[in-house]
CSV table of all heavy atoms in Angstrom, one decimal:
chain,number,residue,atom,x,y,z
A,1,MET,N,-26.0,17.9,-36.1
A,1,MET,CA,-25.3,17.0,-35.3
A,1,MET,C,-23.8,17.1,-35.4
A,1,MET,O,-23.4,17.5,-36.5
A,1,MET,CB,-25.8,15.6,-35.7
A,1,MET,CG,-24.9,14.5,-35.1
A,1,MET,SD,-25.6,12.9,-35.5
A,1,MET,CE,-25.8,12.3,-33.8
A,2,GLN,N,-23.1,16.9,-34.4
A,2,GLN,CA,-21.6,17.0,-34.4
A,2,GLN,C,-21.0,15.6,-34.3
A,2,GLN,O,-21.3,14.8,-33.4
A,2,GLN,CB,-21.2,17.9,-33.3
A,2,GLN,CG,-19.7,18.2,-33.4
A,2,GLN,CD,-19.3,19.3,-32.3
A,2,GLN,OE1,-20.1,19.5,-31.4
A,2,GLN,NE2,-18.1,19.8,-32.5
A,3,CYS,N,-20.1,15.3,-35.2
A,3,CYS,CA,-19.4,14.0,-35.2
A,3,CYS,C,-18.5,13.9,-34.0
A,3,CYS,O,-17.7,14.8,-33.8
A,3,CYS,CB,-18.6,13.8,-36.5
A,3,CYS,SG,-17.6,12.3,-36.5
A,4,PRO,N,-18.6,12.8,-33.2
A,4,PRO,CA,-17.7,12.7,-32.0
A,4,PRO,C,-16.3,12.4,-32.4
A,4,PRO,O,-15.4,12.7,-31.6
A,4,PRO,CB,-18.3,11.6,-31.2
A,4,PRO,CG,-19.1,10.8,-32.2
A,4,PRO,CD,-19.6,11.8,-33.3
A,5,THR,N,-16.0,12.0,-33.6
A,5,THR,CA,-14.7,11.6,-34.1
A,5,THR,C,-13.9,12.9,-34.6
A,5,THR,O,-12.8,13.1,-34.1
A,5,THR,CB,-14.7,10.6,-35.2
A,5,THR,OG1,-15.4,9.4,-34.7
A,5,THR,CG2,-13.3,10.1,-35.6
A,6,CYS,N,-14.5,13.6,-35.5
A,6,CYS,CA,-13.8,14.7,-36.1
A,6,CYS,C,-14.4,16.1,-35.8
A,6,CYS,O,-14.0,17.1,-36.2
A,6,CYS,CB,-13.7,14.6,-37.6
A,6,CYS,SG,-15.3,14.7,-38.5
A,7,GLU,N,-15.6,16.1,-35.0
A,7,GLU,CA,-16.3,17.3,-34.6
A,7,GLU,C,-16.9,18.1,-35.7
A,7,GLU,O,-17.1,19.3,-35.6
A,7,GLU,CB,-15.4,18.1,-33.7
A,7,GLU,CG,-15.0,17.4,-32.4
A,7,GLU,CD,-14.2,18.3,-31.5
A,7,GLU,OE1,-13.9,19.4,-31.8
A,7,GLU,OE2,-13.8,17.7,-30.4
A,8,TYR,N,-17.1,17.4,-36.9
A,8,TYR,CA,-17.7,18.1,-38.0
A,8,TYR,C,-19.2,18.2,-37.8
A,8,TYR,O,-19.8,17.2,-37.4
A,8,TYR,CB,-17.4,17.3,-39.3
A,8,TYR,CG,-18.0,17.9,-40.6
A,8,TYR,CD1,-17.5,19.1,-41.1
A,8,TYR,CD2,-19.0,17.2,-41.2
A,8,TYR,CE1,-18.1,19.6,-42.3
A,8,TYR,CE2,-19.5,17.7,-42.4
A,8,TYR,CZ,-19.1,18.9,-42.9
A,8,TYR,OH,-19.6,19.4,-44.1
A,9,GLU,N,-19.8,19.3,-38.1
A,9,GLU,CA,-21.2,19.5,-37.9
A,9,GLU,C,-21.9,19.1,-39.2
A,9,GLU,O,-21.6,19.6,-40.3
A,9,GLU,CB,-21.5,21.0,-37.6
A,9,GLU,CG,-23.0,21.3,-37.3
A,9,GLU,CD,-23.3,21.1,-35.9
A,9,GLU,OE1,-22.5,21.1,-35.0
A,9,GLU,OE2,-24.5,21.0,-35.6
A,10,PHE,N,-22.9,18.2,-39.2
A,10,PHE,CA,-23.6,17.8,-40.4
A,10,PHE,C,-25.1,17.4,-40.0
A,10,PHE,O,-25.4,17.3,-38.9
A,10,PHE,CB,-22.9,16.6,-41.0
A,10,PHE,CG,-23.0,15.3,-40.2
A,10,PHE,CD1,-24.0,14.3,-40.5
A,10,PHE,CD2,-22.2,15.0,-39.2
A,10,PHE,CE1,-24.1,13.1,-39.8
A,10,PHE,CE2,-22.2,13.9,-38.4
A,10,PHE,CZ,-23.2,12.9,-38.8
A,11,ASP,N,-25.9,17.3,-41.1
A,11,ASP,CA,-27.3,17.0,-41.0
A,11,ASP,C,-27.5,15.5,-41.1
A,11,ASP,O,-27.2,14.9,-42.1
A,11,ASP,CB,-28.1,17.7,-42.1
A,11,ASP,CG,-29.6,17.5,-42.0
A,11,ASP,OD1,-30.0,17.1,-40.9
A,11,ASP,OD2,-30.3,17.7,-43.0
A,12,PRO,N,-28.0,14.9,-40.0
A,12,PRO,CA,-28.1,13.4,-40.0
A,12,PRO,C,-29.3,12.9,-40.7
A,12,PRO,O,-29.7,11.7,-40.5
A,12,PRO,CB,-28.1,13.1,-38.5
A,12,PRO,CG,-28.7,14.2,-37.9
A,12,PRO,CD,-28.3,15.4,-38.7
A,13,ALA,N,-30.1,13.7,-41.4
A,13,ALA,CA,-31.3,13.3,-42.0
A,13,ALA,C,-31.2,12.1,-42.9
A,13,ALA,O,-32.0,11.2,-43.0
A,13,ALA,CB,-32.0,14.5,-42.6
A,14,GLY,N,-30.2,12.1,-43.7
A,14,GLY,CA,-30.0,11.1,-44.7
A,14,GLY,C,-29.4,9.8,-44.1
A,14,GLY,O,-29.9,8.7,-44.3
A,15,ASP,N,-28.3,9.9,-43.4
A,15,ASP,CA,-27.6,8.8,-42.8
A,15,ASP,C,-26.9,9.2,-41.6
A,15,ASP,O,-26.6,10.4,-41.4
A,15,ASP,CB,-26.7,8.2,-43.9
A,15,ASP,CG,-26.2,6.8,-43.5
A,15,ASP,OD1,-26.8,6.2,-42.6
A,15,ASP,OD2,-25.4,6.3,-44.2
A,16,LEU,N,-26.5,8.3,-40.8
A,16,LEU,CA,-25.8,8.6,-39.6
A,16,LEU,C,-24.3,8.4,-39.8
A,16,LEU,O,-23.5,8.1,-38.9
A,16,LEU,CB,-26.2,7.8,-38.4
A,16,LEU,CG,-27.6,8.1,-37.9
A,16,LEU,CD1,-28.0,7.2,-36.7
A,16,LEU,CD2,-27.7,9.6,-37.4
A,17,GLN,N,-23.8,8.6,-41.0
A,17,GLN,CA,-22.4,8.5,-41.3
A,17,GLN,C,-21.8,9.9,-41.6
A,17,GLN,O,-22.4,10.6,-42.3
A,17,GLN,CB,-22.1,7.6,-42.5
A,17,GLN,CG,-20.7,7.4,-42.8
A,17,GLN,CD,-20.5,6.3,-43.9
A,17,GLN,OE1,-21.4,6.0,-44.6
A,17,GLN,NE2,-19.2,5.9,-44.1
A,18,CYS,N,-20.8,10.2,-40.9
A,18,CYS,CA,-20.1,11.5,-41.1
A,18,CYS,C,-19.6,11.7,-42.5
A,18,CYS,O,-18.8,10.8,-42.9
A,18,CYS,CB,-19.0,11.7,-40.0
A,18,CYS,SG,-18.1,13.2,-40.2
A,19,PRO,N,-20.0,12.7,-43.2
A,19,PRO,CA,-19.5,12.9,-44.6
A,19,PRO,C,-18.0,13.3,-44.6
A,19,PRO,O,-17.4,13.1,-45.7
A,19,PRO,CB,-20.4,14.0,-45.1
A,19,PRO,CG,-20.9,14.7,-43.9
A,19,PRO,CD,-21.0,13.7,-42.8
A,20,ARG,N,-17.4,13.8,-43.5
A,20,ARG,CA,-16.0,14.1,-43.6
A,20,ARG,C,-15.1,13.0,-43.3
A,20,ARG,O,-14.2,12.7,-44.1
A,20,ARG,CB,-15.8,15.2,-42.5
A,20,ARG,CG,-14.3,15.6,-42.5
A,20,ARG,CD,-13.9,16.5,-41.4
A,20,ARG,NE,-14.2,17.9,-41.8
A,20,ARG,CZ,-14.2,18.9,-41.0
A,20,ARG,NH1,-13.8,18.8,-39.7
A,20,ARG,NH2,-14.5,20.1,-41.4
A,21,CYS,N,-15.3,12.2,-42.2
A,21,CYS,CA,-14.4,11.2,-41.8
A,21,CYS,C,-14.9,9.8,-42.1
A,21,CYS,O,-14.2,8.8,-42.0
A,21,CYS,CB,-14.0,11.3,-40.3
A,21,CYS,SG,-15.3,10.9,-39.1
A,22,GLY,N,-16.2,9.7,-42.3
A,22,GLY,CA,-16.8,8.3,-42.6
A,22,GLY,C,-17.2,7.5,-41.4
A,22,GLY,O,-17.6,6.4,-41.5
A,23,SER,N,-17.1,8.1,-40.3
A,23,SER,CA,-17.4,7.4,-39.0
A,23,SER,C,-18.9,7.2,-38.9
A,23,SER,O,-19.7,8.1,-39.2
A,23,SER,CB,-17.0,8.3,-37.8
A,23,SER,OG,-17.3,7.7,-36.6
A,24,MET,N,-19.3,5.9,-38.6
A,24,MET,CA,-20.7,5.6,-38.5
A,24,MET,C,-21.1,5.9,-37.0
A,24,MET,O,-20.5,5.4,-36.1
A,24,MET,CB,-21.0,4.1,-38.7
A,24,MET,CG,-21.1,3.8,-40.2
A,24,MET,SD,-22.4,4.6,-41.1
A,24,MET,CE,-23.8,3.9,-40.4
A,25,LEU,N,-22.1,6.7,-36.9
A,25,LEU,CA,-22.6,7.0,-35.5
A,25,LEU,C,-23.7,6.0,-35.1
A,25,LEU,O,-24.4,5.5,-35.9
A,25,LEU,CB,-23.1,8.4,-35.5
A,25,LEU,CG,-22.2,9.5,-36.0
A,25,LEU,CD1,-22.8,10.9,-36.1
A,25,LEU,CD2,-20.9,9.6,-35.2
A,26,SER,N,-23.8,5.9,-33.8
A,26,SER,CA,-24.7,4.9,-33.3
A,26,SER,C,-25.9,5.6,-32.6
A,26,SER,O,-25.6,6.5,-31.8
A,26,SER,CB,-24.0,4.0,-32.3
A,26,SER,OG,-24.9,3.2,-31.6
A,27,CYS,N,-27.1,5.1,-32.8
A,27,CYS,CA,-28.2,5.7,-32.1
A,27,CYS,C,-28.1,5.5,-30.6
A,27,CYS,O,-28.6,6.2,-29.8
A,27,CYS,CB,-29.5,5.1,-32.6
A,27,CYS,SG,-30.0,5.8,-34.2
A,28,SER,N,-27.5,4.4,-30.2
A,28,SER,CA,-27.3,4.1,-28.8
A,28,SER,C,-26.3,5.0,-28.1
A,28,SER,O,-26.4,5.1,-26.9
A,28,SER,CB,-27.0,2.6,-28.6
A,28,SER,OG,-25.7,2.3,-29.2
A,29,ALA,N,-25.4,5.6,-28.9
A,29,ALA,CA,-24.4,6.5,-28.3
A,29,ALA,C,-24.8,8.0,-28.4
A,29,ALA,O,-24.1,8.8,-27.9
A,29,ALA,CB,-23.1,6.2,-29.0
A,30,THR,N,-25.9,8.3,-29.1
A,30,THR,CA,-26.3,9.6,-29.4
A,30,THR,C,-27.7,9.8,-28.9
A,30,THR,O,-28.6,9.0,-29.1
A,30,THR,CB,-26.3,9.9,-30.9
A,30,THR,OG1,-25.0,9.6,-31.4
A,30,THR,CG2,-26.6,11.4,-31.1
A,31,ALA,N,-27.9,10.9,-28.1
A,31,ALA,CA,-29.3,11.2,-27.7
A,31,ALA,C,-30.1,11.8,-28.8
A,31,ALA,O,-29.6,12.5,-29.7
A,31,ALA,CB,-29.2,12.2,-26.5
A,32,CYS,N,-31.4,11.5,-28.8
A,32,CYS,CA,-32.3,11.9,-29.9
A,32,CYS,C,-32.4,13.5,-29.9
A,32,CYS,O,-32.5,14.0,-31.0
A,32,CYS,CB,-33.7,11.3,-29.7
A,32,CYS,SG,-33.7,9.6,-30.1
A,33,ALA,N,-32.3,14.1,-28.8
A,33,ALA,CA,-32.3,15.5,-28.7
A,33,ALA,C,-31.1,16.2,-29.4
A,33,ALA,O,-31.2,17.3,-30.0
A,33,ALA,CB,-32.4,16.0,-27.3
A,34,GLU,N,-30.0,15.5,-29.4
A,34,GLU,CA,-28.8,16.0,-30.1
A,34,GLU,C,-28.8,15.8,-31.6
A,34,GLU,O,-28.2,16.5,-32.4
A,34,GLU,CB,-27.5,15.4,-29.5
A,34,GLU,CG,-27.3,15.7,-28.1
A,34,GLU,CD,-26.1,14.8,-27.5
A,34,GLU,OE1,-25.5,14.1,-28.2
A,34,GLU,OE2,-25.9,14.9,-26.3
A,35,CYS,N,-29.5,14.7,-32.0
A,35,CYS,CA,-29.4,14.3,-33.4
A,35,CYS,C,-30.5,14.9,-34.3
A,35,CYS,O,-30.2,15.6,-35.2
A,35,CYS,CB,-29.6,12.7,-33.4
A,35,CYS,SG,-29.6,12.0,-35.1
A,36,ASP,N,-31.7,14.7,-34.0
A,36,ASP,CA,-32.9,15.2,-34.7
A,36,ASP,C,-32.8,14.7,-36.2
A,36,ASP,O,-33.2,15.4,-37.1
A,36,ASP,CB,-32.9,16.8,-34.7
A,36,ASP,CG,-34.3,17.3,-35.1
A,36,ASP,OD1,-35.3,16.7,-34.9
A,36,ASP,OD2,-34.3,18.4,-35.7
A,37,GLY,N,-32.4,13.5,-36.4
A,37,GLY,CA,-32.3,12.9,-37.7
A,37,GLY,C,-33.5,12.1,-38.1
A,37,GLY,O,-33.7,11.9,-39.3
A,38,CYS,N,-34.3,11.8,-37.1
A,38,CYS,CA,-35.5,11.0,-37.4
A,38,CYS,C,-36.7,11.9,-37.6
A,38,CYS,O,-36.9,12.8,-36.9
A,38,CYS,CB,-35.8,10.0,-36.3
A,38,CYS,SG,-34.5,8.8,-35.9
A,39,SER,N,-37.5,11.5,-38.6
A,39,SER,CA,-38.7,12.4,-38.9
A,39,SER,C,-39.9,12.0,-38.0
A,39,SER,O,-40.8,12.8,-38.0
A,39,SER,CB,-39.1,12.2,-40.4
A,39,SER,OG,-39.4,10.8,-40.7
A,40,GLY,N,-39.8,10.9,-37.4
A,40,GLY,CA,-40.9,10.5,-36.5
A,40,GLY,C,-40.6,9.3,-35.7
A,40,GLY,O,-39.5,8.8,-35.8
A,41,LEU,N,-41.5,8.7,-35.0
A,41,LEU,CA,-41.3,7.6,-34.1
A,41,LEU,C,-40.9,6.3,-35.0
A,41,LEU,O,-40.0,5.6,-34.6
A,41,LEU,CB,-42.6,7.3,-33.3
A,41,LEU,CG,-42.5,6.1,-32.4
A,41,LEU,CD1,-41.4,6.3,-31.4
A,41,LEU,CD2,-43.8,5.8,-31.7
A,42,LEU,N,-41.6,6.1,-36.1
A,42,LEU,CA,-41.3,4.9,-36.9
A,42,LEU,C,-39.8,5.0,-37.4
A,42,LEU,O,-39.1,4.0,-37.5
A,42,LEU,CB,-42.2,4.8,-38.1
A,42,LEU,CG,-43.7,4.4,-37.7
A,42,LEU,CD1,-44.6,4.4,-38.9
A,42,LEU,CD2,-43.7,3.1,-36.9
A,43,GLU,N,-39.4,6.2,-37.8
A,43,GLU,CA,-38.0,6.3,-38.3
A,43,GLU,C,-37.0,6.1,-37.2
A,43,GLU,O,-36.0,5.4,-37.4
A,43,GLU,CB,-37.8,7.7,-38.9
A,43,GLU,CG,-36.4,8.0,-39.3
A,43,GLU,CD,-36.0,7.3,-40.6
A,43,GLU,OE1,-36.9,6.8,-41.3
A,43,GLU,OE2,-34.8,7.2,-40.9
A,44,GLN,N,-37.4,6.5,-36.0
A,44,GLN,CA,-36.5,6.3,-34.8
A,44,GLN,C,-36.4,4.8,-34.5
A,44,GLN,O,-35.3,4.3,-34.3
A,44,GLN,CB,-37.1,7.0,-33.6
A,44,GLN,CG,-36.2,6.9,-32.4
A,44,GLN,CD,-36.8,7.7,-31.2
A,44,GLN,OE1,-37.9,8.3,-31.3
A,44,GLN,NE2,-36.1,7.7,-30.1
A,45,LEU,N,-37.5,4.1,-34.6
A,45,LEU,CA,-37.5,2.6,-34.3
A,45,LEU,C,-36.7,1.9,-35.4
A,45,LEU,O,-36.0,1.0,-35.1
A,45,LEU,CB,-38.9,2.1,-34.3
A,45,LEU,CG,-39.8,2.5,-33.1
A,45,LEU,CD1,-41.2,2.1,-33.3
A,45,LEU,CD2,-39.2,1.9,-31.8
A,46,ARG,N,-36.9,2.3,-36.7
A,46,ARG,CA,-36.1,1.7,-37.7
A,46,ARG,C,-34.6,1.9,-37.6
A,46,ARG,O,-33.8,0.9,-37.7
A,46,ARG,CB,-36.5,2.3,-39.1
A,46,ARG,CG,-35.9,1.6,-40.3
A,46,ARG,CD,-36.2,2.3,-41.6
A,46,ARG,NE,-35.5,3.6,-41.7
A,46,ARG,CZ,-34.2,3.8,-42.0
A,46,ARG,NH1,-33.4,2.7,-42.2
A,46,ARG,NH2,-33.7,5.0,-42.0
A,47,ARG,N,-34.2,3.1,-37.2
A,47,ARG,CA,-32.8,3.4,-37.0
A,47,ARG,C,-32.2,2.6,-35.8
A,47,ARG,O,-31.1,2.1,-35.9
A,47,ARG,CB,-32.5,4.9,-36.9
A,47,ARG,CG,-32.6,5.6,-38.2
A,47,ARG,CD,-32.1,7.0,-38.0
A,47,ARG,NE,-32.4,7.8,-39.2
A,47,ARG,CZ,-31.6,8.7,-39.7
A,47,ARG,NH1,-30.4,8.9,-39.1
A,47,ARG,NH2,-31.9,9.3,-40.8
A,48,ASN,N,-33.0,2.5,-34.8
A,48,ASN,CA,-32.5,1.8,-33.6
A,48,ASN,C,-32.4,0.3,-33.9
A,48,ASN,O,-31.4,-0.3,-33.5
A,48,ASN,CB,-33.5,2.0,-32.4
A,48,ASN,CG,-33.3,3.3,-31.7
A,48,ASN,OD1,-32.1,3.8,-31.7
A,48,ASN,ND2,-34.3,3.9,-31.2
A,49,GLY,N,-33.3,-0.2,-34.7
A,49,GLY,CA,-33.3,-1.6,-35.1
A,49,GLY,C,-32.1,-1.9,-36.0
A,49,GLY,O,-31.3,-2.9,-35.8
A,50,LYS,N,-31.9,-1.0,-36.9
A,50,LYS,CA,-30.7,-1.1,-37.8
A,50,LYS,C,-29.4,-1.0,-37.1
A,50,LYS,O,-28.5,-1.8,-37.3
A,50,LYS,CB,-30.8,0.0,-38.9
A,50,LYS,CG,-29.8,-0.1,-40.0
A,50,LYS,CD,-30.1,1.0,-41.0
A,50,LYS,CE,-29.0,1.1,-42.0
A,50,LYS,NZ,-29.2,2.2,-43.0
A,51,ASP,N,-29.3,-0.2,-36.1
A,51,ASP,CA,-28.2,0.0,-35.3
A,51,ASP,C,-27.9,-1.2,-34.4
A,51,ASP,O,-26.7,-1.7,-34.3
A,51,ASP,CB,-28.3,1.2,-34.3
A,51,ASP,CG,-27.1,1.6,-33.6
A,51,ASP,OD1,-26.0,1.5,-34.2
A,51,ASP,OD2,-27.2,2.0,-32.4
A,52,ARG,N,-28.9,-1.8,-33.9
A,52,ARG,CA,-28.7,-3.1,-33.1
A,52,ARG,C,-28.3,-4.2,-34.0
A,52,ARG,O,-27.4,-5.0,-33.6
A,52,ARG,CB,-30.1,-3.4,-32.4
A,52,ARG,CG,-30.3,-2.6,-31.2
A,52,ARG,CD,-31.5,-3.1,-30.5
A,52,ARG,NE,-31.8,-2.2,-29.4
A,52,ARG,CZ,-32.9,-2.3,-28.6
A,52,ARG,NH1,-33.8,-3.3,-28.9
A,52,ARG,NH2,-33.1,-1.5,-27.6
A,53,LEU,N,-28.8,-4.3,-35.2
A,53,LEU,CA,-28.4,-5.4,-36.1
A,53,LEU,C,-26.9,-5.2,-36.5
A,53,LEU,O,-26.2,-6.2,-36.6
A,53,LEU,CB,-29.2,-5.4,-37.3
A,53,LEU,CG,-30.6,-6.1,-37.2
A,53,LEU,CD1,-31.4,-5.9,-38.4
A,53,LEU,CD2,-30.5,-7.5,-36.8
A,54,ARG,N,-26.5,-4.0,-36.7
A,54,ARG,CA,-25.1,-3.7,-37.1
A,54,ARG,C,-24.2,-4.1,-35.9
A,54,ARG,O,-23.2,-4.7,-36.1
A,54,ARG,CB,-25.0,-2.2,-37.4
A,54,ARG,CG,-23.6,-1.9,-38.0
A,54,ARG,CD,-23.4,-0.5,-38.4
A,54,ARG,NE,-24.5,0.2,-38.9
A,54,ARG,CZ,-25.0,1.3,-38.3
A,54,ARG,NH1,-24.5,1.8,-37.2
A,54,ARG,NH2,-26.1,1.9,-38.8
A,55,SER,N,-24.6,-3.7,-34.7
A,55,SER,CA,-23.7,-4.0,-33.5
A,55,SER,C,-23.7,-5.5,-33.2
A,55,SER,O,-22.7,-6.0,-32.7
A,55,SER,CB,-24.2,-3.2,-32.3
A,55,SER,OG,-25.4,-3.7,-31.9
A,56,ASP,N,-24.7,-6.2,-33.6
A,56,ASP,CA,-24.8,-7.7,-33.4
A,56,ASP,C,-24.1,-8.4,-34.5
A,56,ASP,O,-24.1,-9.7,-34.5
A,56,ASP,CB,-26.3,-8.1,-33.3
A,56,ASP,CG,-26.5,-9.5,-32.8
A,56,ASP,OD1,-25.7,-10.0,-32.1
A,56,ASP,OD2,-27.5,-10.1,-33.2
A,57,GLY,N,-23.7,-7.8,-35.5
A,57,GLY,CA,-23.1,-8.4,-36.6
A,57,GLY,C,-24.1,-8.9,-37.7
A,57,GLY,O,-23.8,-9.6,-38.6
A,58,GLY,N,-25.4,-8.6,-37.5
A,58,GLY,CA,-26.4,-8.9,-38.4
A,58,GLY,C,-26.8,-10.4,-38.3
A,58,GLY,O,-27.4,-10.9,-39.2
A,59,THR,N,-26.4,-11.1,-37.2
A,59,THR,CA,-26.8,-12.5,-37.1
A,59,THR,C,-28.2,-12.7,-36.6
A,59,THR,O,-28.8,-11.8,-36.0
A,59,THR,CB,-25.8,-13.2,-36.1
A,59,THR,OG1,-25.9,-12.5,-34.9
A,59,THR,CG2,-24.4,-13.1,-36.6
A,60,GLN,N,-28.7,-13.8,-37.0
A,60,GLN,CA,-30.1,-14.2,-36.5
A,60,GLN,C,-30.1,-14.5,-35.1
A,60,GLN,O,-29.2,-15.3,-34.6
A,60,GLN,CB,-30.6,-15.3,-37.4
A,60,GLN,CG,-32.1,-15.7,-37.1
A,60,GLN,CD,-32.5,-16.8,-38.1
A,60,GLN,OE1,-31.8,-17.1,-39.0
A,60,GLN,NE2,-33.7,-17.3,-37.8
A,61,THR,N,-31.0,-13.9,-34.2
A,61,THR,CA,-30.9,-14.2,-32.8
A,61,THR,C,-32.1,-15.0,-32.3
A,61,THR,O,-32.1,-15.3,-31.1
A,61,THR,CB,-30.9,-12.8,-32.0
A,61,THR,OG1,-32.0,-12.1,-32.4
A,61,THR,CG2,-29.6,-12.1,-32.4
A,62,ASP,N,-33.1,-15.3,-33.2
A,62,ASP,CA,-34.2,-16.1,-32.7
A,62,ASP,C,-33.8,-17.5,-32.6
A,62,ASP,O,-32.9,-18.0,-33.2
A,62,ASP,CB,-35.4,-15.8,-33.5
A,62,ASP,CG,-35.3,-16.3,-35.0
A,62,ASP,OD1,-34.1,-16.6,-35.3
A,62,ASP,OD2,-36.2,-16.2,-35.7
A,63,SER,N,-34.6,-18.3,-31.8
A,63,SER,CA,-34.3,-19.7,-31.6
A,63,SER,C,-35.0,-20.6,-32.6
A,63,SER,O,-34.7,-21.8,-32.7
A,63,SER,CB,-34.8,-20.1,-30.2
A,63,SER,OG,-36.2,-19.9,-30.1
A,64,VAL,N,-35.8,-20.0,-33.5
A,64,VAL,CA,-36.5,-20.8,-34.5
A,64,VAL,C,-35.7,-20.7,-35.8
A,64,VAL,O,-35.4,-19.6,-36.3
A,64,VAL,CB,-37.9,-20.3,-34.7
A,64,VAL,CG1,-38.6,-21.1,-35.8
A,64,VAL,CG2,-38.7,-20.3,-33.4
A,65,PRO,N,-35.3,-21.9,-36.3
A,65,PRO,CA,-34.5,-21.8,-37.6
A,65,PRO,C,-35.4,-21.3,-38.7
A,65,PRO,O,-36.6,-21.6,-38.8
A,65,PRO,CB,-34.1,-23.2,-37.8
A,65,PRO,CG,-34.9,-24.1,-36.9
A,65,PRO,CD,-35.4,-23.2,-35.9
A,66,SER,N,-34.8,-20.6,-39.6
A,66,SER,CA,-35.6,-20.1,-40.8
A,66,SER,C,-35.6,-21.1,-41.9
A,66,SER,O,-34.9,-22.2,-41.8
A,66,SER,CB,-34.9,-18.8,-41.3
A,66,SER,OG,-33.7,-19.1,-41.9
A,67,ASP,N,-36.4,-20.8,-42.9
A,67,ASP,CA,-36.5,-21.8,-44.1
A,67,ASP,C,-35.1,-21.9,-44.8
A,67,ASP,O,-34.9,-22.9,-45.5
A,67,ASP,CB,-37.5,-21.3,-45.0
A,67,ASP,CG,-38.9,-21.4,-44.4
A,67,ASP,OD1,-39.1,-22.2,-43.5
A,67,ASP,OD2,-39.8,-20.6,-44.9
A,68,ASN,N,-34.3,-20.9,-44.7
A,68,ASN,CA,-33.0,-20.9,-45.4
A,68,ASN,C,-31.9,-21.8,-44.7
A,68,ASN,O,-30.9,-22.0,-45.2
A,68,ASN,CB,-32.5,-19.5,-45.6
A,68,ASN,CG,-33.4,-18.7,-46.4
A,68,ASN,OD1,-34.1,-19.3,-47.3
A,68,ASN,ND2,-33.4,-17.4,-46.3
A,69,ASP,N,-32.2,-22.2,-43.4
A,69,ASP,CA,-31.2,-22.9,-42.7
A,69,ASP,C,-31.1,-24.4,-43.1
A,69,ASP,O,-32.0,-25.0,-43.5
A,69,ASP,CB,-31.5,-22.9,-41.2
A,69,ASP,CG,-31.2,-21.5,-40.6
A,69,ASP,OD1,-30.6,-20.7,-41.3
A,69,ASP,OD2,-31.7,-21.2,-39.5
């Protein structure tokens, strides 16, 4: 995978953070065919969910309050 910020080529298998510049890459901005960082469908779903939470600020979006509220 090539980092869009610094154009460094790296293996995204561990994480989607560029080891050179530290830029966090987004699954929504990168096509799966370009990345090849997920080992299967479950890994792809996990990364997409994690990416959405990060872009949402990690806030709770459901209408039901949790026990911690």
Side-chain angles (χ1 to χ4, degrees):
M1 167 173 236
Q2 189 172 12
C3 175
T5 305
C6 68
E7 298 182 359
Y8 179 70
E9 185 87 21
F10 70 98
D11 182 18
D15 196 8
L16 291 179
Q17 184 173 11
C18 177
R20 177 187 277 173
C21 70
S23 176
M24 280 300 291
L25 305 176
S26 171
C27 285
S28 60
T30 306
C32 289
E34 296 171 5
C35 178
D36 196 33
C38 299
S39 59
L41 180 61
L42 293 177
E43 178 70 16
Q44 183 179 1
L45 290 172
R46 185 189 68 79
R47 285 191 188 216
N48 282 328
K50 186 176 175 183
D51 188 39
R52 285 186 182 173
L53 284 173
R54 187 180 327 118
S55 69
D56 190 30
T59 60
Q60 186 175 351
T61 58
D62 61 354
S63 60
V64 177
S66 69
D67 292 338
N68 296 333
D69 291 344

